[in-house]
Amino acid sequence: MPDMSTNTVKRKAKTIVIAEKPDRTGIMLWSGILRYAGEKANWKTISLATYQCKKPISEFCSDIRSLHIDGLIVGHHLRHRVLSALSNQPHVKIVTTEPMNSVGILPCCVIDNAAIGKSAANLLIQRGFTNFCYVKVEAPDEKSHSDLRWESFEKTLVESGFSCTPLSFDKSLPSALAKLPRPLGVFVYNDRLAPLVVNACAQAKMSIPEEV
């Protein structure tokens, strides 16, 4: 009987190009993609962020033809330029981060804002909170994501018999927080905003984690 322990199959490394130029709403999405790709033992990733340190985007797109890649994950900023560079490589599997892509029906990966809002509400309920607020943003490139998270957060709370107060992130936030009942479960739009809301709570004389 042959010794199967020595009969190993060497996997060919798959090369995945991560072509990104993320805006503020895309930073977490792309960091998650890179983290996931980094966990795959047979994946070799080439990220535009690191590649661009040596060459401009125009050369990056041209060099894609000679990279012998298996897959491509591309954001909407560079979609047309990168896909044009791969026009003669139909074997390459392509995924976009743009839900409504205009280059045909491509698989896409997007942020599930509804799931984020629901998870946040359920977590705060499980922690025993009965008073809630959501700190939202009004920036044009983030408002749609913020609104979707708020809608799902509020819906989940209402279904459990609770209500929620939406607050805008502006100069009035400390005084608005100070008027809310405590202990208060606060859901913040994203991680980047969270430290600023912590500062707002301090200005409102609200102790964390005793009251918030």
Side-chain angles (χ1 to χ4, degrees):
M1 188 171 180
D3 183 2
M4 299 302 292
S5 63
T6 60
N7 187 20
T8 58
V9 178
K10 186 177 181 180
R11 284 187 177 184
K12 176 186 175 184
K14 293 182 178 295
T15 301
I16 310 294
V17 170
I18 313 293
E20 85 285 13
K21 189 179 179 183
D23 53 23
R24 287 184 293 180
T25 58
I27 290 175
M28 296 303 294
L29 174 63
W30 282 106
S31 64
I33 291 172
L34 285 168
R35 185 170 60 251
Y36 177 84
E39 294 171 353
K40 300 299 177 181
N42 65 323
W43 283 24
K44 176 185 177 183
T45 60
I46 302 172
S47 171
L48 172 62
T50 54
Y51 188 96
Q52 195 179 352
C53 294
K54 300 179 180 179
K55 296 184 179 181
I57 293 176
S58 57
E59 290 188 37
F60 172 80
C61 292
S62 298
D63 288 354
I64 282 179
R65 298 186 184 92
S66 61
L67 290 176
H68 306 294
I69 66 174
D70 302 291
L72 168 71
I73 303 175
V74 61
H76 68 278
H77 291 96
L78 302 174
R79 185 189 67 244
H80 293 293
R81 295 173 69 178
V82 173
L83 294 185
S84 177
L86 289 171
S87 59
N88 62 341
Q89 298 187 34
H91 66 283
V92 176
K93 305 303 180 185
I94 301 172
V95 174
T96 179
T97 58
E98 182 184 17
M100 302 299 291
N101 58 81
S102 57
V103 292
I105 301 176
L106 291 176
C108 66
C109 51
V110 295
I111 298 172
D112 192 339
N113 291 296
I116 292 172
K118 182 177 181 179
S119 296
N122 286 329
L123 175 63
L124 291 174
I125 291 172
Q126 291 169 9
R127 294 291 176 87
F129 287 96
T130 56
N131 305 304
F132 307 88
C133 84
Y134 174 64
V135 181
K136 59 183 181 177
V137 294
E138 301 293 342
D141 61 339
E142 297 182 285
K143 188 177 186 304
S144 60
H145 292 277
S146 179
D147 289 348
L148 288 171
R149 294 179 191 188
W150 153 244
E151 291 170 5
S152 178
F153 183 66
E154 182 187 38
K155 180 176 182 291
T156 305
L157 291 176
V158 169
E159 290 174 349
S160 298
F162 301 105
S163 61
C164 179
T165 302
L167 300 177
S168 295
F169 182 75
D170 53 31
K171 294 180 179 180
S172 66
L173 182 59
S175 60
L177 285 168
K179 296 175 183 177
L180 297 179
R182 309 173 196 183
L184 179 67
V186 180
F187 175 35
V188 183
Y189 165 61
N190 63 16
D191 294 344
R192 179 174 50 81
L193 195 65
L196 303 177
V197 175
V198 169
N199 290 337
C201 289
Q203 294 177 43
K205 308 299 182 184
M206 303 173 75
S207 59
I208 299 174
E210 292 80 9
E211 296 181 304
V212 179

